[in-house]
Amino acid sequence: MSLKIDQDHSRFRNIVRGRIRQNLRKYISQGELIGRKGKDLVSIPIPQIEIPRFRYSDRQQGGAGQGDGNPGDPVGGDQGDEQGEGGRKAGEGAGEHVLEVDVTLDELAAILGEELELPDIRDKGKSKIINEKERYTGIRRVGPESLRHFRRTYREALKRQISMGAYSPERPIVVPIPDDKRFRSWKTEAEPVANAVIIYMMDVSGSMGDEQKEIVRIESFWIDTWLQRQYKGLESRYIIHDAVAREVDRETFFHTRESGGTMISSAYKLCAQLIDDHYPPEEWNIYPFHFSDGDNWSMDDTLHCVELLKQKVLPRVNMFAYGQVESPYGSGQFIKDLRDHFSKDERVITSEIRDKDAIVGSIKEFLGKGA
Amino acid sequence: MSEFALKTALPQYLRVEQEKIQNLAAAQGLDFFPIVFEILTYDQMNEIAAYMGFPNRFPHWRFGMEYERLAKSYEYGLSKIYEMVINNNPSYAYLLEGNSLVDQKLVMAHVCGHVDFFKNNYAFRSTDLDTGGKTTDPASRPKDYDPNRRWIDKMANHGARIRRHVARQGINKIEEYIDHCLSLENLIDPHAPFKGSGPSRDPDAEDKATEIPRLRAKEYMESFINPEEYLEQQRIKIEAEKEKEKKFPVRPERDILKFLLDHAPLDRWEHDVLEVVREEAYYFQPQMQTKIMNEGWASYWHSKLMTEKILDASEIIDYADHAAGVLATSKGQLNPYKLGIELFRNIEERWDRGQFGKEWEECDDLAAKKNWNLRLGLGKKKIFEVRALYNDVTFIDEFLTPDFVRDAKMFSYAWSNRNERYEIETREFKAVKEKLLFQLTNAGNPFIYVDDANFENRGELLLRHDHQGLDLRADWAREVLRSLVRIWKRPVNLTTQVEAKPVMMRYDGREHTTRHLRRE
């Protein structure tokens, strides 16, 4: 049913969208948004969307109340709950109004995309592969026994018996005849397969501290969210490495802290291995992201990395992204090495992420090319 | 409206209840407009509540925001609107589909109380309309009182007017302008409808011949003591003074919306939109002025009718559970339903027992006061009189007693900077009453006047905030100045105080400035 309010409501939502866009950078770089996400919805506080009026400043005013307590005791707290029959609020007074609006992550990603002018991502020509998918969408009078709809069948039988006067509540026996039988029916839907995998790699040597990890966490969250908009089935794999690499789950990825030497090549090797084993490039869009502070064990290993990228990784992926998070300890050499070797290769994208405020810019660098 | 009404008409069993309840209410002396009940699903209810009762209001995103708030708070189980009633003749009231029968009966009894209040409380007379749909002078009242209050139609007409402007000017332009108008919505004079429309210019300010004061002199000394040049100088000086005094408006204006409608350089559509906003502001004014009384009165009657007449034994528990929810105070917030009903009951009891007047006031004997009962039985008569002649401010001012404040555990609270929270300040009667009255006066809005429409002879607007110990919220005040400039189309100034220092806030269309004034 459509309501008259829908138009006003959607204009309000547009205003909210505008406000979100204005403050997008702030929202994006807030880790708590990720923490607060429940299912797909995130609540975003939008201050000052109400109509401003001449008003007393809230804090000075105070007021009269009712209840127990002695002078000096706190009053109220938040005034979230309102009970009562009237349409209006029971109590006026304390508390500032910050409106919380629910936005789906999808919508937030769309706003992010518009704001950063991210292009829609080009598929690697895989939309030709069509999967057929069956979905049960209705009820039919004919069909195979295996799809018989038990409840509907008995309901039909009951209806028939009642209308014929053959049903007695004292002896509630319902016997379906063939005409009563009902079957589930399905529809075949063609859907283009557009699978993608993100392979996150992170250097977890001692210099990658909590702050650096938080940056990676926030940035990868938004990369995930954006790519999820582009692909139906998006998988994420996580690799951590110091001198050796291993695959871990998401939780471990963001919370492990190792130390010891750094051999970036170990991660790239494992990444190539993952692709070999699970993600045939003709069916998958592959996005490896590597985050580190830019220190590598030796120049030899760096050259080994370059080799691996050239031979094993780049030919099979949509793009290869390297994000260098600034840390007080790292030399930051690795990004320079990559730039030296791959300055002409469009598939390699590098980005330096100085601090949380730089996250948005870095996302744009990574995804802005529509790889 | 008719189509709407058809789809939502009351089912038969509720119509039977309605008639029963209305008869019971009328037998108690309640005197209400005809009531049209409609039954709504919760999303229809939220929609209409967002439009403050009117299904055909003008379009604006603010209503969409209100809808979102209501719908969300319903989904989260924080609140549910059981009932809504609008001041219209006939009155429309909305019931929530799926409520239990006890709830529906309670709501119908409650609504009878509200509609009696709409019809009989003096403040609502300012919502009477003439046949042309204009508001009328509320001062006089005919014997058989059946006013035109077709606000449903009027609001629908407002909606149509604004939609027409939207069609011509585009939604963005109109909506942006409505934003500004709504920022000024509370700049009206609650007493204006009862003042009549007097002349806005001072009739005594007729041009008088300029009289130049002369020094006393004998006739033959005249030309020496009051030489021509001196007289001429004086004349120029006085004329200049008089020019300065040609201030406009002559007296400060509190109905700033009216002032802008009369004097701001508005396009026709701008004028039209502002006029709509102002009329609707005046329609809602009496409800803000009588919130405690109105809810108290309706609660008093639903409680009386339900417990004495309507409920059967099987319904008592559900009713009591429900009534307790309605009358609960939470977290120290005043609940107008509770405060109102308790005050009405208190008045009834006092007038029944004769606990009023000189003798009562002067009695020092606590025991005698406690058992004071002259068996006057004037309570019922008194509360009907109170419901007709008072508003929240006068109601509290006259009937809130120290005993009541003590028994109802009332207190005043204030913000504590040290603890960063609101704290109970005192339970002392005078302080509590003062705080409460302040909260209610002018519906909690600051007093703002137009002082000068030709400030410093530059056609700028000068407003004055009558500072009563509380500063304005500064960021919002700046936004309102912006809106005023949009409408006045010249710079706007506002004198107020910030932390006990007089200041002048100014917006010239480009930037905001605030400068300190010397204390006068």
Side-chain angles (χ1 to χ4, degrees):
Chain A
M1 181 183 49
S2 97
L3 298 171
K4 191 181 292 290
I5 197 86
D6 289 346
Q7 287 182 14
D8 288 338
H9 192 224
S10 80
R11 279 206 309 288
F12 164 68
R13 302 288 309 187
N14 272 339
I15 292 171
V16 168
R17 245 176 111 88
R19 295 291 166 106
I20 292 175
R21 188 170 304 199
Q22 274 172 21
N23 295 308
L24 191 69
R25 273 155 211 273
K26 208 177 75 201
Y27 295 131
I28 297 283
S29 50
Q30 261 172 9
E32 64 193 276
L33 200 62
I34 305 166
R36 262 199 291 167
K37 130 186 165 192
K39 280 193 186 162
D40 300 330
L41 286 176
V42 283
S43 277
I44 292 192
I46 305 278
Q48 282 184 29
I49 202 164
E50 308 226 24
I51 309 260
R53 300 211 166 83
F54 282 132
R55 274 269 163 214
Y56 295 122
S57 62
D58 282 336
R59 297 235 154 136
Q60 281 186 23
Q61 192 170 1
Q66 195 172 4
D68 292 321
N70 295 312
D73 288 351
V75 180
D78 58 274
Q79 55 185 63
D81 57 358
E82 32 186 298
Q83 259 275 1
E85 340 190 321
R88 305 290 102 201
K89 228 178 185 160
E92 303 276 306
E96 282 183 21
H97 303 278
V98 175
L99 196 72
E100 288 228 334
V101 287
D102 286 344
V103 185
T104 60
L105 272 181
D106 201 41
E107 196 175 354
L108 212 51
I111 297 171
L112 177 76
E114 285 163 29
E115 183 62 16
L116 295 184
E117 297 174 324
L118 299 181
D120 275 351
I121 285 175
R122 288 192 311 270
D123 229 331
K124 281 169 70 187
K126 261 166 249 111
S127 45
K128 277 182 216 135
I129 305 175
I130 305 278
N131 250 5
E132 292 195 335
K133 204 176 167 189
E134 273 92 47
R135 287 181 54 193
Y136 294 106
T137 52
I139 297 289
R140 271 193 255 177
R141 299 179 76 107
V142 289
E145 278 302 304
S146 62
L147 289 182
R148 200 182 68 203
H149 195 302
F150 187 82
R151 201 152 46 86
R152 289 293 194 102
T153 302
Y154 272 80
R155 194 157 46 164
E156 287 304 314
L158 179 64
K159 274 200 294 201
R160 180 180 47 77
Q161 286 190 359
I162 290 174
S163 64
M164 289 167 63
Y167 177 79
S168 91
E170 286 78 42
R171 226 170 143 263
I173 293 175
V174 178
V175 184
I177 59 170
D179 248 10
D180 296 329
K181 285 191 182 169
R182 292 294 181 274
F183 303 89
R184 271 180 253 266
S185 76
W186 71 94
K187 225 161 96 183
T188 306
E189 285 178 353
E191 96 181 349
V193 179
N195 283 334
V197 59
I198 310 177
I199 299 169
Y200 291 106
M201 291 169 275
M202 180 159 58
D203 174 359
V204 289
S205 59
S207 50
M208 286 293 285
D210 286 343
E211 209 187 316
Q212 283 73 29
K213 288 225 191 68
E214 176 75 358
I215 289 171
V216 176
R217 199 162 94 92
I218 293 170
E219 183 152 340
S220 62
F221 172 81
W222 290 109
I223 289 168
D224 259 2
T225 308
W226 170 251
L227 288 177
Q228 235 152 36
R229 252 183 88 72
Q230 310 285 333
Y231 298 107
K232 284 263 153 46
L234 182 73
E235 284 191 20
S236 304
R237 306 294 286 252
Y238 301 92
I239 293 172
I240 54 175
H241 72 90
D242 44 20
V244 288
R246 62 191 166 106
E247 194 187 351
V248 295
D249 60 21
R250 183 180 179 88
E251 189 60 22
T252 317
F253 183 76
F254 288 116
H255 295 101
T256 314
R257 188 163 177 173
E258 314 270 314
S259 56
T262 312
M263 300 258 279
I264 295 177
S265 64
S266 64
Y268 292 0
K269 225 182 273 168
L270 185 55
C271 171
Q273 187 67 43
L274 267 181
I275 297 172
D276 281 346
D277 294 350
H278 302 283
Y279 304 104
E282 49 295 343
E283 281 172 36
W284 288 84
N285 294 280
I286 302 167
Y287 297 89
F289 280 82
H290 178 219
F291 297 95
S292 104
D293 59 359
D295 257 347
N296 201 8
W297 175 249
S298 65
M299 200 56 202
D300 282 352
D301 191 65
T302 299
L303 290 173
H304 191 192
C305 288
V306 171
E307 257 338 275
L308 277 166
L309 284 177
K310 275 190 181 149
Q311 306 299 330
K312 298 235 163 188
V313 179
L314 287 178
R316 297 190 284 182
V317 303
N318 296 45
M319 63 182 253
F320 177 86
Y322 173 70
Q324 187 160 290
V325 188
E326 193 170 289
S327 89
Y329 312 107
S331 66
Q333 178 60 38
F334 194 68
I335 198 168
K336 292 175 202 153
D337 296 335
L338 281 182
R339 282 173 181 167
D340 283 348
H341 287 92
F342 294 102
S343 62
K344 292 207 181 81
D345 194 328
E346 277 198 358
R347 292 169 299 184
V348 176
I349 300 164
T350 56
S351 168
E352 276 172 285
I353 315 158
R354 204 147 285 146
D355 49 24
K356 277 192 192 176
D357 291 338
I359 290 173
V360 175
S362 168
I363 294 174
K364 187 169 170 57
E365 281 181 313
F366 281 151
L367 302 176
K369 292 192 179 163
Chain B
M1 192 66 215
S2 58
E3 190 197 348
F4 189 85
L6 278 177
K7 276 191 282 190
T8 55
L10 217 52
Q12 181 62 29
Y13 75 99
L14 284 177
R15 254 181 295 156
V16 172
E17 291 297 337
Q18 181 189 356
E19 203 183 317
K20 214 160 80 190
I21 289 166
Q22 289 191 355
N23 288 337
L24 288 168
Q28 292 282 329
L30 291 182
D31 160 34
F32 35 84
F33 299 132
I35 304 172
V36 180
F37 279 100
E38 297 186 1
I39 198 149
L40 304 182
T41 61
Y42 83 92
D43 52 347
Q44 285 173 317
M45 188 70 119
N46 287 339
E47 173 182 31
I48 293 189
Y51 286 121
M52 295 173 87
F54 293 90
N56 285 315
R57 266 188 109 177
F58 65 80
H60 190 260
W61 62 265
R62 179 185 58 161
F63 304 126
M65 173 170 80
E66 189 59 18
Y67 175 77
E68 166 130 345
R69 203 178 67 75
L70 291 170
K72 196 183 289 178
S73 109
Y74 177 87
E75 278 163 30
Y76 294 170
L78 295 174
S79 72
K80 175 163 138 181
I81 303 165
Y82 282 92
E83 154 263 334
M84 209 174 1
V85 50
I86 45 181
N87 166 32
N88 192 73
N89 182 11
S91 285
Y92 283 84
Y94 305 103
L95 301 176
L96 186 62
E97 177 187 87
N99 270 354
S100 69
L101 185 59
V102 188
D103 283 350
Q104 305 293 29
K105 289 198 273 193
L106 184 157
V107 166
M108 286 195 273
H110 191 85
V111 164
C112 288
H114 275 312
V115 177
D116 168 84
F117 198 87
F118 290 152
K119 181 170 175 184
N120 292 288
N121 182 272
Y122 85 97
F124 285 87
R125 266 188 263 165
S126 64
T127 62
D128 289 352
L129 303 170
D130 65 16
T131 47
K134 296 249 188 287
T135 46
T136 58
D137 175 5
S140 61
R141 175 172 177 167
K143 271 221 176 70
D144 46 349
Y145 190 56
D146 186 26
N148 174 9
R149 284 198 194 157
R150 305 286 316 180
W151 277 89
I152 289 252
D153 297 348
K154 196 171 162 67
M155 294 277 190
N157 287 342
H158 288 172
R161 263 159 83 180
I162 290 191
R163 285 191 178 89
R164 201 163 56 229
H165 293 308
V166 167
R168 283 186 199 144
Q169 313 280 345
I171 180 75
N172 290 338
K173 192 167 162 190
I174 298 293
E175 191 153 76
E176 186 253 12
Y177 181 72
I178 295 177
D179 287 354
H180 291 300
C181 294
L182 290 176
S183 265
L184 311 176
E185 201 181 30
N186 61 343
L187 300 178
I188 58 173
D189 179 357
H191 305 297
F194 298 92
K195 284 200 296 207
S197 46
S200 63
R201 282 174 192 269
D202 186 356
D204 297 335
E206 290 302 315
D207 295 336
K208 288 177 198 133
T210 310
E211 210 171 291
I212 301 151
R214 292 163 181 248
L215 296 176
R216 241 169 17 144
K218 295 247 162 64
E219 206 175 316
Y220 64 89
M221 290 294 284
E222 175 73 20
S223 60
F224 296 99
I225 291 179
N226 293 314
E228 271 306 313
E229 307 87 68
Y230 168 77
L231 287 181
E232 183 60 21
Q233 265 173 14
Q234 288 297 301
R235 200 180 63 75
I236 290 168
K237 215 165 118 189
I238 289 168
E239 302 255 296
E241 283 290 317
K242 262 183 88 172
E243 197 58 39
K244 252 195 204 162
E245 278 174 14
K246 269 196 197 159
K247 224 178 82 171
F248 175 67
V250 177
R251 283 184 232 95
E253 285 277 347
R254 217 172 126 193
D255 189 346
I256 297 180
L257 288 185
K258 173 92 161 63
F259 185 85
L260 293 173
L261 280 171
D262 290 349
H263 304 292
L266 298 171
D267 286 349
R268 264 199 58 187
W269 67 268
E270 292 176 322
H271 192 273
D272 213 29
V273 170
L274 186 57
E275 199 170 34
V276 163
V277 169
R278 176 174 176 270
E279 289 205 8
E280 297 193 359
Y282 273 106
Y283 170 79
F284 289 110
Q285 184 69 27
Q287 317 203 5
M288 291 193 270
Q289 286 176 297
T290 57
K291 175 85 182 163
I292 294 172
M293 284 185 76
N294 201 345
E295 293 303 353
W297 184 250
S299 299
Y300 174 93
W301 284 105
H302 86 232
S303 161
K304 197 173 181 69
L305 291 170
M306 290 297 277
T307 53
E308 291 176 11
K309 312 277 180 194
I310 299 172
L311 290 172
D312 65 46
S314 70
E315 295 172 323
I316 293 283
I317 302 279
D318 281 341
Y319 166 77
D321 177 42
H322 212 118
V326 171
L327 295 180
T329 47
S330 84
K331 299 187 172 170
Q333 289 288 316
L334 274 187
N335 176 345
Y337 294 79
K338 182 176 164 72
L339 181 60
I341 188 175
E342 285 179 352
L343 263 175
F344 270 117
R345 283 179 177 156
N346 183 252
I347 294 166
E348 185 179 25
E349 189 188 340
R350 284 170 60 204
W351 259 258
D352 273 344
R353 296 160 66 117
Q355 296 180 338
F356 60 93
K358 191 163 186 279
E359 216 181 321
W360 161 259
E361 301 289 343
E362 285 173 358
C363 174
D364 290 333
D365 183 348
L366 283 177
K369 275 191 121 163
K370 196 157 184 265
N371 297 315
W372 190 289
N373 192 349
L374 306 180
R375 294 178 208 289
L376 297 182
L378 292 172
K380 192 84 166 288
K381 188 164 161 266
K382 185 64 185 177
I383 56 173
F384 272 92
E385 180 190 309
V386 170
R387 76 92 154 78
L389 300 176
Y390 288 78
N391 62 34
D392 282 351
V393 171
T394 54
F395 182 61
I396 297 292
D397 193 32
E398 182 133 358
F399 299 109
L400 191 77
T401 64
D403 290 343
F404 184 90
V405 166
R406 192 191 56 235
D407 295 343
K409 296 183 174 177
M410 293 174 72
F411 57 77
S412 74
Y413 62 85
W415 179 258
S416 156
N417 273 330
R418 200 174 49 161
N419 296 330
E420 298 251 303
R421 63 185 191 193
Y422 288 96
E423 289 179 351
I424 295 178
E425 200 173 37
T426 173
R427 292 184 179 277
E428 200 247 323
F429 171 67
K430 251 184 84 179
V432 172
K433 181 171 165 183
E434 217 167 78
K435 260 279 162 57
L436 186 53
L437 284 177
F438 190 87
Q439 241 175 318
L440 296 170
T441 302
N442 202 27
N445 287 311
F447 289 86
I448 313 271
Y449 298 86
V450 179
D451 257 7
D452 195 347
N454 186 24
F455 181 54
E456 296 192 331
N457 208 20
R458 291 194 299 243
E460 298 183 6
L461 202 58
L462 174 66
L463 305 183
R464 174 169 51 87
H465 168 215
D466 186 1
H467 193 278
Q468 305 191 341
L470 284 185
D471 291 358
L472 295 176
R473 183 175 157 179
D475 55 342
W476 276 24
R478 280 192 289 276
E479 288 303 310
V480 179
L481 288 183
R482 196 185 278 274
S483 297
L484 280 158
V485 168
R486 164 71 183 82
I487 286 167
W488 188 247
K489 300 180 172 85
R490 293 279 304 146
V492 174
N493 306 271
L494 169 74
T495 57
T496 177
Q497 291 183 22
V498 174
E499 286 164 358
K501 292 194 190 74
V503 298
M504 167 96 76
M505 297 176 70
R506 173 183 168 85
Y507 181 65
D508 62 8
R510 278 190 307 277
E511 58 174 351
H512 292 279
T513 48
T514 304
R515 68 185 167 88
H516 286 273
L517 299 174
R518 264 180 306 164
R519 207 177 271 285
E520 283 169 22

